[in-house]
Amino acid sequence: MKRRDILAMAGGAVTATGAWRAVVAQPAPIPRIGFLGSNEASPEIVEPFLAGLAEGGFQPGRNVAVEYRWAANRLDRLPELMTDLMRRPLAVVVTSGGVPAARAAIAAASDVPVVFEVGRDPVQSGLVASLGRPGGNATGVHMFTADLNAKRFELLREMVPRATSIAVLINPDNVGAHGVENVVRRAAAAAGVKSQVLRAANEREIDAAFAALAASPDSALIVGNDAFFNSRRAQLVAATTRLALPAIFEWRAFAIAGGLMSYGTDFAAVWRQVGAYTARVLKGDKPAELPIVQPTRFELVINRKTAKALGLAIPQSLLLRADEVIE
């Protein structure tokens, strides 16, 4: 064999070795999380979610990517947004905003794990087979938001014993709204007070609902659990302030914004848990075997300044139970 042939063979070997090394050196693609929200983009959701994800060892831009799609309370857009997310491979789908977003994700991503946050019972809603062993491709956190309205009624009555009518604001587009209405009607009948149901699915209808309440000076209000209402926090708190209307809300953020009181799950803790579960799925845990998380601690938050403005003396029994009193 001639010298030049040997050199050519050696050069080819070097080239092939270099190419092999280049292939080996290519970094593996990082997993991608698709995040589907039925409401509007919110740091109150994203920040604790990312914190829980980080606790599990995943940080966007380093070893995981997160793509967000927000329906801005237009539930009819959820399937379209989910289809858009599925255009590239997903390692897991996370959903916020309750059952509609979870259903859209499970329907579109039958072979992709789903981690959801819902306020209604996920078994009764048909999302999972059981709480202990969900089965299928989905798991998540059940926040009990819909189940707490009887307690909110009780707390509001304790704060405002003079109220002769308890109104509840619901979103008729929310599949759980009828259940909330029934809970409040039954509680009002048992307490011997009138009940009033107000319905609002957009900003204009919220204004109309509060205009109807203006004619009922001895009323108090329960704002039903709903992703749309959460996004209209400023409008709702401003309306209760304008009418000097005692009201109880779902989340602490409403009381911080000037609402009289709130009772519900620790929202930040819920989303840290969603982030932690997402990290576990990324590490290989199967949603079918991850039990649905159900919080055991609920926050009662009272805004003392608002109570004073409404001329309400906060009962000592409520002060002793409050997790936080905003001065």
Side-chain angles (χ1 to χ4, degrees):
M1 185 178 290
K2 295 182 180 180
R3 182 173 181 272
R4 66 173 175 269
D5 294 330
I6 294 172
L7 290 175
M9 290 176 61
V14 170
T15 301
T17 301
W20 178 81
R21 285 175 177 165
V23 169
V24 171
Q26 291 293 323
I30 62 175
R32 190 167 66 99
I33 299 168
F35 194 111
L36 180 67
S38 65
N39 39 13
E40 297 176 348
S42 168
E44 293 167 352
I45 293 174
V46 173
E47 290 175 3
F49 166 69
L50 294 180
L53 202 60
E55 290 167 7
F58 292 93
Q59 293 182 337
R62 185 173 67 86
N63 59 355
V64 73
V66 185
E67 287 196 26
Y68 300 91
R69 298 292 185 276
W70 303 94
N73 304 302
R74 286 186 52 193
L75 302 185
D76 59 308
R77 294 196 62 215
L78 289 169
E80 167 198 344
L81 294 173
M82 190 62 218
T83 298
D84 186 49
L85 278 173
M86 294 286 289
R87 294 188 191 282
R88 290 197 291 155
L90 296 174
V92 60
V93 177
V94 175
T95 71
S96 90
V99 171
R103 282 180 176 161
I106 292 169
S110 59
D111 57 346
V112 179
V114 175
V115 180
F116 55 67
E117 160 267 312
V118 295
R120 294 171 56 217
D121 187 319
V123 177
Q124 293 180 3
S125 302
L127 300 178
V128 298
S130 73
L131 299 177
R133 293 186 64 84
N137 66 320
T139 188
V141 182
H142 171 212
M143 295 192 295
F144 289 110
T145 51
D147 300 304
L148 298 178
N149 285 296
K151 184 65 175 180
R152 293 188 186 105
F153 180 95
E154 174 190 318
L155 293 167
L156 187 60
R157 282 277 295 158
E158 195 170 344
M159 175 69 84
V160 197
R162 68 168 187 256
T164 58
S165 175
I166 302 293
V168 59
L169 179 67
I170 60 174
N171 179 355
D173 292 343
N174 186 321
V175 290
H178 185 64
V180 175
E181 175 182 342
N182 286 341
V183 166
V184 175
R185 285 194 184 280
R186 286 195 298 268
V193 298
K194 294 184 293 184
S195 62
Q196 182 178 4
V197 179
L198 305 168
R199 295 173 174 84
N202 54 52
E203 296 176 33
R204 179 182 55 79
E205 290 176 354
I206 288 176
D207 288 336
F210 279 93
L213 276 176
S216 304
D218 293 324
S219 293
L221 174 68
I222 298 171
V223 175
N225 45 285
D226 184 80
F228 169 60
F229 294 159
N230 294 341
S231 72
R232 301 309 306 165
R233 179 169 59 227
Q235 181 184 5
L236 290 165
V237 170
T240 60
T241 301
R242 183 175 67 253
L243 295 179
L245 179 69
I248 188 167
F249 302 89
E250 181 179 10
W251 305 122
R252 173 178 178 271
F254 283 92
I256 291 174
L260 174 61
M261 59 197 302
S262 67
Y263 182 74
T265 312
D266 183 336
F267 199 63
V270 164
W271 276 101
R272 282 195 300 273
Q273 180 63 58
V274 173
Y277 252 27
T278 303
R280 289 184 62 176
V281 170
L282 289 171
K283 290 176 180 178
D285 284 357
K286 304 299 183 185
E289 301 170 1
L290 289 175
I292 301 298
V293 176
Q294 295 183 298
T296 57
R297 180 178 175 274
F298 306 101
E299 296 181 314
L300 171 60
V301 181
I302 300 171
N303 190 313
R304 192 193 294 271
K305 181 178 179 181
T306 300
K308 184 177 180 180
L310 293 171
L312 296 173
I314 304 173
Q316 188 66 19
S317 57
L318 286 182
L319 288 173
L320 290 173
R321 280 180 282 163
D323 296 276
E324 182 178 1
V325 177
I326 300 170
E327 302 294 343

